[in-house]
Amino acid sequence: MQKQAGLSLNSRISGDIEELIRNQKLKESGIAQSDLDQLKTSVDIETKKIAETGKEESSSAGASTIIAFIAGILMFMFIMLYGIQVMRGVIEEKTSRIIEVMISSVKPFQLMMGKIIGIALVGLTQFILWIVLTLTISTVAVTVLVDKADVKKIAASAQSGSQVTTGTQVVSPAQGPMMDIQKSLAGLDFSKIVSVFIFFFIGGYLFYSALYAAIGSAVDSETETQQFMMPVMMPLLLGYALSLSVVTNDPYGNVAFWLSMIPFTSPIAMVVRLPYGVPNWELALSMVILVVGFVGTVWIASRIYRVGILMYGKKTTFKEMFKWFTYKN
């Protein structure tokens, strides 16, 4: 069977061949191998963040990028998962005709908001449980597996530049990447990251779930949702793709700024930017815009929901949904 090499393999092979050819040419020009080895230099950069008070804080682009990737992926998964649950719940109630009984006692807007807020509380409860379990497991693991005396020795040796013996193992500051990661993570404000993540999860979920509820009310089965879901999913997918590529490489650029301001993309873009440090005014502005966008989206979705939830057996189009939106009470 014929196979085609990938881009990474081609790049690695070409890089190795280029290095061999370069070294051979340098040897032929009379340069010794020992001199060539001395030309290779490894540089480690230790970054510092200057707080508004002027105090230096440890930081790491690698640690910030890891946190940003995890936050972005979780935000995308949560919004998609629970938003689709809202849509499926609305379709199920509509097809089973339960909605006709419920509408007789509550208004369509109240019913839609009850569905959205109920599933939001379920998602928030799961998220909080995951945080509690993760912190509990990590705390127990550190307590059981790590000797506090050894950690203090390694920390002291990192300042003096000497080696330290822990049990039967010799640990050097240059050979302790875990200590560097720990120092980098210590410079991140996890309480702020978690609280902002929860806010943007709730805001982003409410923003998109209102649209999913409107879609669910307009169709009679899940197979009919494809034409309506794509326009709703595209901004979320675009924000996810750009946040994990452009924003992580340039968290303070114009693209990152506008992605974190537009309500369709801000839930993902802002939580990706946050570990790198975001000015408070930008964070506050993004939150306000997201709240305003949520209120506007709920108003639009509710006008479609109130008509579509009682429509049966008719092929729905965007033109038809626009008519529902313009109907007077």
Side-chain angles (χ1 to χ4, degrees):
M1 185 178 75
Q2 296 181 348
K3 295 183 179 180
Q4 175 66 43
L7 290 175
S8 60
L9 179 60
N10 287 337
S11 177
R12 188 163 64 250
I13 293 175
S14 62
D16 292 341
I17 294 175
E18 288 174 1
E19 185 177 0
L20 289 173
I21 294 175
R22 182 174 59 252
N23 291 340
Q24 184 62 32
K25 288 182 178 180
L26 290 172
K27 288 180 181 179
E28 292 176 354
S29 63
I31 301 177
Q33 182 63 43
S34 58
D35 295 332
L36 291 177
D37 295 337
Q38 292 179 358
L39 293 175
K40 297 179 180 180
T41 305
S42 178
V43 178
D44 294 327
I45 299 177
E46 182 179 356
T47 58
K48 296 285 187 180
K49 288 194 301 185
I50 307 298
E52 296 180 356
T53 57
K55 181 182 178 181
E56 289 187 358
E57 299 177 352
S58 299
S59 67
S60 170
S64 299
T65 302
I66 292 173
I67 299 298
F69 265 80
I70 294 174
I73 292 171
L74 289 177
M75 182 66 72
F76 176 77
M77 289 174 55
F78 286 163
I79 293 177
M80 285 289 295
L81 175 64
Y82 296 114
I84 291 176
Q85 280 189 18
V86 171
M87 183 188 69
R88 288 176 176 172
V90 173
I91 294 174
E92 182 180 355
E93 292 173 354
K94 181 178 178 179
T95 54
S96 63
R97 301 298 179 96
I98 297 176
I99 200 72
E100 296 177 359
V101 179
M102 300 175 69
I103 287 294
S104 63
S105 57
V106 296
K107 294 180 179 180
F109 177 78
Q110 295 173 336
L111 184 63
M112 185 186 76
M113 289 304 299
K115 173 71 68 176
I116 292 173
I117 294 174
I119 296 179
L121 293 176
V122 172
L124 189 60
T125 302
Q126 288 182 338
F127 177 68
I128 293 174
L129 286 175
W130 289 349
I131 293 177
V132 172
L133 288 174
T134 301
L135 292 176
T136 303
I137 294 173
S138 60
T139 302
V140 172
V142 170
T143 304
V144 173
L145 300 177
V146 179
D147 189 347
K148 293 182 179 180
D150 291 342
V151 173
K152 291 180 180 179
K153 290 180 181 179
I154 296 173
S157 66
Q159 297 178 353
S160 63
S162 61
Q163 292 183 341
V164 61
T165 302
T166 60
T168 58
Q169 185 179 8
V170 177
V171 180
S172 172
Q175 298 173 349
M178 292 302 297
M179 293 298 298
D180 296 334
I181 294 175
Q182 186 177 3
K183 288 172 60 179
S184 301
L185 293 178
L188 296 175
D189 188 353
F190 280 98
S191 60
K192 182 179 180 180
I193 292 175
V194 172
S195 59
V196 171
F197 182 94
I198 292 175
F199 176 88
F200 277 93
F201 160 67
I202 295 174
Y205 162 78
L206 294 175
F207 183 89
Y208 276 97
S209 61
L211 297 176
Y212 280 116
I215 293 173
S217 68
V219 299
D220 293 333
S221 64
E222 198 169 336
T223 56
E224 299 178 17
T225 62
Q226 302 305 318
Q227 60 174 327
F228 302 110
M229 285 184 63
M230 186 55 65
V232 176
M233 292 176 59
M234 282 304 297
L236 191 63
L237 290 171
L238 180 64
Y240 173 74
L242 292 178
S243 295
L244 298 187
S245 57
V246 178
V247 175
T248 53
N249 290 321
D250 186 13
Y252 305 106
N254 290 330
V255 175
F257 174 80
W258 287 111
L259 284 176
S260 59
M261 294 297 150
I262 300 173
F264 286 96
T265 57
S266 63
I268 297 178
M270 184 54 77
V271 298
V272 169
R273 286 186 65 196
L274 194 63
Y276 298 97
V278 178
N280 291 330
W281 71 268
E282 289 188 18
L283 184 59
L285 179 61
S286 179
M287 289 179 172
V288 171
I289 294 175
L290 182 59
V291 171
V292 173
F294 155 65
V295 173
T297 303
V298 169
W299 179 73
I300 294 172
S302 64
R303 296 183 65 84
I304 298 173
Y305 183 92
R306 61 181 179 149
V307 179
I309 199 66
L310 297 175
M311 288 287 184
Y312 298 97
K314 185 177 181 181
K315 186 69 174 179
T316 307
T317 61
F318 284 105
K319 183 178 180 181
E320 192 71 21
M321 293 176 69
F322 180 75
K323 289 182 180 179
W324 298 348
F325 173 76
T326 57
Y327 285 163
K328 294 183 179 180
N329 292 328

